Amino acid sequence: MDLTTRLLIGITAFAVLGYISLVYGSCALDSDCHFRLCAGGRSLCGVDHAHVRDR
């Protein structure tokens, strides 16, 4: 594997981890945000933002 390929893989990994930490980290700090489960109920599909009284 050459240097360019390693660099692109590293940049991609950094971008993916940064995005995940931004979305899920900011949701953890917000009381109106909660994690949404997939149809099977076993894995996370994303986050929902709703006020506590709307739930």
Side-chain angles (χ1 to χ4, degrees):
M1 196 178 329
D2 63 342
L3 182 62
T4 305
T5 306
R6 288 183 184 193
L7 180 66
L8 290 174
I9 290 172
I11 290 171
T12 303
F14 181 74
V16 168
L17 291 175
Y19 175 76
I20 290 172
S21 65
L22 177 73
V23 170
Y24 291 108
S26 63
C27 184
L29 298 174
D30 189 0
S31 62
D32 290 335
C33 186
H34 64 278
F35 298 110
R36 181 173 46 102
L37 297 177
C38 293
R42 293 186 181 170
S43 60
L44 293 175
C45 283
V47 294
D48 285 334
H49 190 272
H51 294 290
V52 176
R53 64 180 174 272
D54 293 340
R55 286 190 208 161

